[in-house]
């Protein structure tokens, strides 16, 4: 495990209040720091190598159990508001693609020692208005008092921690000599995933892209040429199989309709190169050949998928299209042994073996967890305090109802 890069960023100073409350000892006054998106950038939110290291530390803490999330097993993804297919009330929106509100709270221990919650609304129709599909905010809190430490713009926070998780997976599970990356869905998630792959597999020099629109492919290609001049070969492919074929690292970053796994983008064994690492943070399915025990199946937190399975019932992959839910359905149906499901935290902590051979195929499921937002949000908050970035807002000098 590589932790040297994280130590100076998130190590705990001698006094806890110094890292969680700035200078709040012996006063009832509460100020907190507002960080706009430009503030977040100035504080380092786009520093992918540092984010990968922070996520690695997070997974070790997950493995140790030094964290809490929502739900009865403290591992829930969050609480979500959805809308009916036909709205009976004027002003209540009807269900459309990705229309929801969601709250994702968590506590993370170790050198972080903070709590927080990401809150967001999402609607795919936002793109017609020139807005991101989801608009996110993150509140970081002092774990002892519950007082706010910072309110942050969280679109970049969320995007970078989401991409950094595949980077942790690639660090332990991809071949170190990986050169070719196949991407299906060249959007924001693909950008941050590729950034993390490059940070952890420095020999990458070839990219294959399958996209839905000319504009998305062109924009992604231009971004890659600007950001990663070491990627000298960029190929546009027509089919999902071509993106997978002969790629050392593969990621699916598409959106789609949930419900029927037969309609999800599917990985076929015949397309997969021996030794490939497949990182799946979006809807995905696997064929029968990929379900055999010789294909390593890894998730970002086994208990997250157990929570999803409890919340949705069987089969959970119909409700949540992440491939880890398929793994849970396979275990439920007796098609896979529970002991064959590998937890990334155990690998990061050194308690489970990562890649076992050069030819081993590994499928990694990325579900996303609020502890990741807390981790990266804490790092960025501390950077902002050290650099004097952001706007200080006052909650009160003394509470009216103490």
């Amino acid at each position: 495990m590589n932790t040297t890069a994280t130590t100076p960023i998130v190590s705990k100073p001698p006094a806890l209040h110094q890292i969680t409350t700035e200078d709040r000892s012996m006063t009832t006054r509460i100020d907190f720091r507002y960080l706009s998106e430009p503030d977040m950038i100035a504080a380092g939110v786009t520093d992918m190598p540092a984010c990968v290291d922070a996520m690695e530390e997070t997974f070790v803490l997950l493995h140790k159990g030094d964290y809490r999330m929502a739900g009865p097993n403290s591992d829930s993804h969050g609480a979500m508001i959805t809308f009916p297919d036909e709205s009976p009330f004027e002003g209540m929106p009807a269900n459309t693609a990705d229309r929801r509100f969601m709250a994702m709270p968590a506590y993370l221990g170790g050198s972080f020692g903070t709590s927080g919650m990401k809150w967001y609304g999402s609607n795919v129709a936002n793109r017609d208005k020139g807005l991101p599909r989801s608009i996110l905010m993150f509140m970081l809190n002092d774990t002892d008092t519950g007082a706010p430490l910072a309110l942050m713009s969280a679109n970049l926070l969320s995007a970078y921690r989401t991409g950094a998780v595949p980077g942790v997976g690639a660090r332990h599970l991809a071949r170190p000599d990986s050169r070719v990356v196949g991407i299906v869905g060249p959007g924001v998630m693909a950008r941050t995933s590729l950034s993390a792959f490059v940070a952890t597999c420095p020999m990458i020099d070839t990219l294959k892209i399958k996209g839905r629109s000319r504009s998305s492919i062109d924009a992604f290609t231009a971004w890659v040429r600007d950001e990663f001049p070491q990627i000298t070969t960029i190929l546009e492919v027509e089919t999902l199989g071509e993106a997978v074929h002969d790629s050392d690292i593969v990621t699916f970053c598409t959106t789609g309709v949930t419900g029927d796994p037969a309609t999800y983008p599917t990985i076929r064994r015949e397309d997969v190169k021996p030794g490939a690492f497949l990182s799946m943070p979006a809807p995905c399915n696997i064929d029968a050949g990929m379900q055999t025990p010789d294909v390593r199946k890894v998730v970002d937190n086994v208990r997250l998928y157990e929570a999803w399975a409890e919340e949705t019932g069987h089969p959970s992959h119909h409700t949540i299209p992440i491939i880890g839910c398929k793994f849970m359905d396979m275990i439920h149906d007796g098609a896979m042994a529970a002991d064959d499901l590998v937890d990334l935290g155990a690998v990061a902590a050194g308690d489970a073996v990562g890649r076992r051979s050069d030819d081993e195929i590994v499928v990694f499921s990325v579900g996303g967890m609020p502890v990741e937002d807390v981790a990266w949000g804490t790092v960025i908050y501390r950077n902002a305090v050290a650099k004097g970035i952001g706007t200080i807002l006052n909650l009160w000098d003394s509470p009216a109802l103490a």
Side-chain angles (χ1 to χ4, degrees), residues 365-377:
S365 179
V366 182
M369 293 171 283
V371 287
E372 298 158 6
D373 300 298
V374 172
W376 194 223

Side-chain angles (χ1 to χ4, degrees), residues 8 21 47 65 80 103 106 110 116 127 164-165 189 253 278 291 296 321 349 364 370 380 382:
T21 61
D47 184 348
M80 185 164 62
R127 291 171 175 166
V165 172
M189 197 183 304
C253 300
L278 302 107
Q291 296 179 34
R296 198 86 179 278
F364 175 45
I380 300 309
R382 292 176 183 165

Side-chain angles (χ1 to χ4, degrees), residues 289-300:
M290 292 294 294
Q291 296 179 34
T292 57
D294 62 310
V295 174
R296 198 86 179 278
K297 299 170 181 68
V298 184
V299 296
D300 41 359

Side-chain angles (χ1 to χ4, degrees), residues 135-155:
I135 299 174
L136 302 90
M137 297 296 294
F138 179 74
M139 177 63 79
L140 185 70
N141 295 86
D142 181 290
T143 298
D144 181 40
T145 66
L149 300 176
L151 177 63
M152 307 177 182
S153 170
N155 278 59

Side-chain angles (χ1 to χ4, degrees), residues 101-275:
F101 286 94
M102 192 161 194
M104 300 173 64
Y107 159 78
L108 185 63
S111 67
F112 302 97
T114 48
S115 300
M117 186 181 73
K118 183 168 70 180
W119 167 251
Y120 71 94
S122 182
N123 184 358
V124 74
N126 282 354
R127 291 171 175 166
D128 297 332
K129 303 174 183 178
L131 295 170
R133 180 194 66 186
S134 299
I135 299 174
L136 302 90
M137 297 296 294
F138 179 74
M139 177 63 79
L140 185 70
N141 295 86
D142 181 290
T143 298
D144 181 40
T145 66
L149 300 176
L151 177 63
M152 307 177 182
S153 170
N155 278 59
L156 290 175
L157 177 82
S158 186
Y160 274 80
R161 67 79 160 160
T162 298
V165 172
V168 178
R171 175 178 283 170
H172 293 280
L173 301 167
R175 287 179 54 130
D177 60 354
S178 295
R179 294 181 49 251
V180 182
V181 177
I183 288 176
V184 179
V188 171
M189 197 183 304
R191 290 192 185 200
T192 56
S193 292
L194 180 62
S195 297
F197 296 148
V198 171
T200 53
C201 299
M203 295 179 66
I204 290 172
D205 62 11
T206 301
L207 179 63
K208 294 190 290 183
I209 305 170
K210 182 191 181 306
R212 293 176 180 172
S213 70
R214 178 82 268 140
S215 61
S216 67
I217 294 171
D218 289 346
F220 192 83
T221 299
W223 172 80
V224 171
R225 294 195 189 284
D226 286 342
E227 292 290 323
F228 304 114
Q230 67 268 43
I231 298 179
T232 54
T233 302
I234 302 176
L235 305 172
E236 183 181 339
V237 299
E238 296 294 328
T239 67
L240 186 152
E242 289 177 287
V244 176
H245 184 69
D246 279 340
S247 293
D248 301 303
I249 297 174
V250 177
T251 187
F252 291 179
C253 300
T254 59
T255 58
V257 178
T258 299
D260 181 3
T263 67
Y264 303 165
T266 300
I267 304 167
R268 299 180 303 172
R269 180 68 178 266
E270 64 191 68
D271 295 324
V272 180
K273 176 182 180 179

